[in-house]
Amino acid sequence: MTTDASFSETSSADRSRHSSRRSSRKKPGPLGKTLALIGIVLLTVMAYYSIRWMMADINSYPARNALINQQDPTKLVPAEKLERAQASIDRSISWRPDHGDYYDIKASLSYYQALHAQNENRWRDYGQLMSQSLDLYRQASTLRPHWPYSWAGLALSKAKLSQMDEELFQAIDNSVLYGPWENAVNISIAEAGLLSWRYLPQAQQEAVLANIDRGLKRNYKEIRNIATQVNQTALLCDKLPDSKEKAKLCK
């Protein structure tokens, strides 16, 4: 009897301990609840932004595709396609308004729309669209201050608008500083520099010449065509250092 009673008491104690352990597992303390709540909040925030970024990226595809197709500046993407691309990149910006790349894309689309207006002699539209492009490049370069393409676009838009000022000079400097060997930068700064040449201080003239000297090695046809269009081939033949590319350009 004593043994049975002792066994019964022991079993009761074991059950009590097991029950206590289960109870302690089921009821986390204040710290556990706080950590769990923080985890849920973080996961919710991450999911929220992941969805927004995904939707922004998906909507940017038509705009990116339009710019990929715009390789030859003499053969502009149809105006209707540019309009659709603008609508798609506007949706991207609405989903992710802090992303500099989307403003850069929208600025490029506005630039090509301005060229359409120029070709059709719609000068008021040209001025408005080129000014819009400039403002968007400003936003893009503010969000990504080390991105040379935004600075190059800003410089070219200002040159097209004949805004020869300190902002233009700084945009040229930043473009060649952050993207000295980028093809698109070489081409844009070549055009911006040659359009604004007589207004540039010596430092920026030297930066433009160095940019063109580099660019001729990789983008000879594009820079030759720009120099011809803005009637600055003679200037380059006079100012550029000797090279086989210069000899070809000036023969």
Side-chain angles (χ1 to χ4, degrees):
M1 290 293 292
T2 304
T3 301
D4 291 342
S6 176
F7 177 77
S8 177
E9 290 173 1
T10 302
S11 298
S12 297
D14 288 342
R15 285 195 296 273
S16 177
R17 283 196 296 272
H18 290 317
S19 176
S20 177
R21 290 194 194 102
R22 286 195 298 271
S23 177
S24 64
R25 290 194 204 103
K26 292 177 182 177
K27 297 179 180 179
L31 178 59
K33 291 179 179 179
T34 301
L35 291 175
L37 180 61
I38 291 172
I40 291 170
V41 171
L42 288 175
L43 287 172
T44 301
V45 170
M46 290 172 62
Y48 171 78
Y49 281 106
S50 294
I51 291 170
R52 291 190 68 88
W53 294 351
M54 179 184 69
M55 293 301 298
D57 197 46
I58 290 171
N59 279 283
S60 73
Y61 291 158
R64 294 182 192 277
N65 183 60
L67 293 179
I68 289 172
N69 292 333
Q70 182 58 71
Q71 299 295 326
D72 184 351
T74 65
K75 298 177 182 178
L76 294 174
V77 169
E80 297 78 11
K81 186 170 184 177
L82 290 174
E83 289 177 9
R84 292 194 297 271
Q86 283 280 24
S88 74
I89 203 64
D90 283 341
R91 290 191 294 271
S92 293
I93 291 172
S94 71
W95 282 106
R96 195 177 179 185
D98 62 340
H99 194 40
D101 189 38
Y102 299 145
Y103 293 94
D104 198 83
I105 292 170
K106 184 171 176 62
S108 296
L109 294 170
S110 296
Y111 176 84
Y112 290 118
Q113 286 180 309
L115 296 188
H116 268 290
Q118 182 183 41
N119 291 343
E120 297 165 6
N121 296 322
R122 293 185 287 111
W123 297 110
R124 177 173 294 184
D125 290 343
Y126 170 81
Q128 291 175 345
L129 288 163
M130 195 61 74
S131 296
Q132 178 177 294
S133 176
L134 173 59
D135 289 339
L136 289 162
Y137 278 127
R138 284 179 178 137
Q139 289 178 271
S141 59
T142 298
L143 290 167
R144 296 192 299 181
H146 297 152
W147 191 244
Y149 301 98
S150 299
W151 289 113
L154 193 156
L156 183 54
S157 295
K158 286 190 71 71
K160 291 281 191 178
L161 290 165
S162 299
Q163 295 183 10
M164 314 304 182
D165 55 22
E166 187 60 37
E167 185 181 35
L168 168 63
F169 309 152
Q170 188 62 58
I172 290 173
D173 288 343
N174 289 345
S175 299
V176 299
L177 173 64
Y178 298 128
W181 289 100
E182 298 297 326
N183 292 338
V185 172
N186 290 155
I187 294 167
S188 293
I189 292 302
E191 185 171 4
L194 292 177
L195 283 170
S196 58
W197 179 261
R198 64 194 182 101
Y199 302 98
L200 296 179
Q202 183 178 352
Q204 279 70 43
Q205 287 184 347
E206 292 175 356
V208 168
L209 286 174
N211 170 81
I212 291 174
D213 186 48
R214 289 190 302 271
L216 282 171
K217 295 174 173 60
R218 296 155 61 95
N219 306 286
Y220 175 84
K221 179 180 177 182
E222 291 83 356
I223 293 178
R224 180 203 63 193
N225 291 344
I226 289 168
T228 300
Q229 289 163 11
V230 300
N231 197 30
Q232 292 284 39
T233 302
L235 171 74
L236 296 183
C237 293
D238 180 54
K239 299 290 187 181
L240 284 174
D242 290 337
S243 67
K244 64 179 183 180
E245 289 80 19
K246 175 185 175 180
K248 183 179 177 182
L249 178 70
C250 302
K251 67 180 181 180

